[in-house]
Amino acid sequence: MADGFRKPIKMRVDVLALFPEILAPALKTGILKRVQDADKLIVNLHNLRDWATDKHKSVDDYPYGGGAGMILKPEPIFAAIAALNPETNAHVIYLTPQGIPLTQGVVESLSLESHLILLCGRYKGVDERVRHRLVTTEVSIGDYVLSGGEIAALVLIDAIGRVLPGALGDYESAHVDSFSHELLDHPHYTRPVEFADSGVPEVLLSGHHENIEKWRYAEALKRTAKCRPDLLQKLELSEEDVEILKAAGLME
Ligand code: SAM
């Protein structure tokens, strides 16, 4: 992965898939559209069939050893990646349930790259030699099996796109979301003050910034303890943190 901490001036992402059109509408919407319009992100969608060499444009074949399901052939994928990555400096990612789990840390790290190639599988997956010879990193978006890698690639592009400079109106706001500080996000309220027999916590109306920050931190801590205790176990809690959790009955 990239060794610097500076975001690239422009990131190029090539998506190689059997059904790349799945990604097209999302790329024309919201923050992903904004980062592309601002020339911070270029996404090229490629159909693997364009590199098929036989007259039927076939990209899959039966598995050696028998069994159900088809395998994506190596030749079209090798040809496609050679064409998309002639200088061999791109980071080639295979989306697969066998990959490293996608976390905000992985997203931040990949957002420092200047060229990603996202390889999307279908059927039983790709010929193993693709993984051995071409793939830099394997990424999973969760412990479940999708029918293809296209949606997983879109998840990855969306998560990366929104941390690129210029993606959000207020760039800082990406850095106070869930996971950016290893805690889940604190609760949010907007107008009206009273709604559905429920009010907005007094402190948020006080204008006292220090107290507001303290409240938000405590709420984020409590929410993480309640919803994702596994995340909290990885953190070193201060005495103050322990007090907050004990007072909320979330720690003995
Ligand atoms: N036989 C494969 C296995 O058990 O690992 C699953 C193949 S799956 C039906 C077809 C394709 O969907 C995979 O090659 C991969 O590109 C994509 N895919 C499925 N689940 C995924 C996940 N959780 N994360 C990322 N990609 C996934």
Side-chain angles (χ1 to χ4, degrees), residues 12 17-18 25 46 73 80 156 174 200:
R12 170 180 159 192
L18 262 191
H46 307 277
K73 287 152 63 74
L156 183 56
V200 175

Side-chain angles (χ1 to χ4, degrees), residues 48 87 115 121 131 166 173 217:
L48 186 55
E87 284 157 10
H115 185 191
R131 300 170 74 172
S173 72
Y217 178 77

Side-chain angles (χ1 to χ4, degrees), residues 61-140:
D61 209 337
Y62 294 97
Y64 275 124
M70 301 297 276
I71 313 297
L72 289 180
K73 287 152 63 74
E75 303 96 314
I77 301 176
F78 270 68
I81 291 184
L84 298 174
N85 189 25
E87 284 157 10
T88 66
N89 53 6
H91 195 104
V92 181
I93 297 174
Y94 175 45
L95 284 310
T96 164
Q98 300 171 25
I100 54 164
L102 184 61
T103 61
Q104 192 63 26
V106 173
V107 167
E108 287 283 346
S109 174
L110 291 174
S111 76
L112 302 173
E113 299 286 338
S114 52
H115 185 191
L116 300 179
I117 296 178
L118 306 186
L119 173 62
C120 306
R122 278 269 153 183
Y123 317 127
K124 295 300 267 183
V126 298
D127 183 284
E128 196 66 15
R129 288 159 293 189
V130 169
R131 300 170 74 172
H132 290 168
R133 294 290 174 88
L134 298 179
V135 172
T136 326
T137 307
E138 299 191 336
V139 172
S140 165

Side-chain angles (χ1 to χ4, degrees), residues 156-203:
L156 183 56
I157 296 171
D158 187 274
I160 289 175
R162 65 187 294 286
V163 297
L164 293 178
L168 301 180
D170 172 8
Y171 174 63
E172 281 305 303
S173 72
H175 298 275
V176 290
D177 282 325
S178 293
F179 307 119
S180 293
H181 299 301
E182 286 126 350
L183 293 178
L184 300 183
D185 200 3
H186 56 75
H188 298 278
Y189 292 87
T190 184
R191 288 187 289 185
V193 167
E194 287 293 334
F195 187 74
D197 290 333
S198 176
V200 175
E202 275 302 318
V203 63

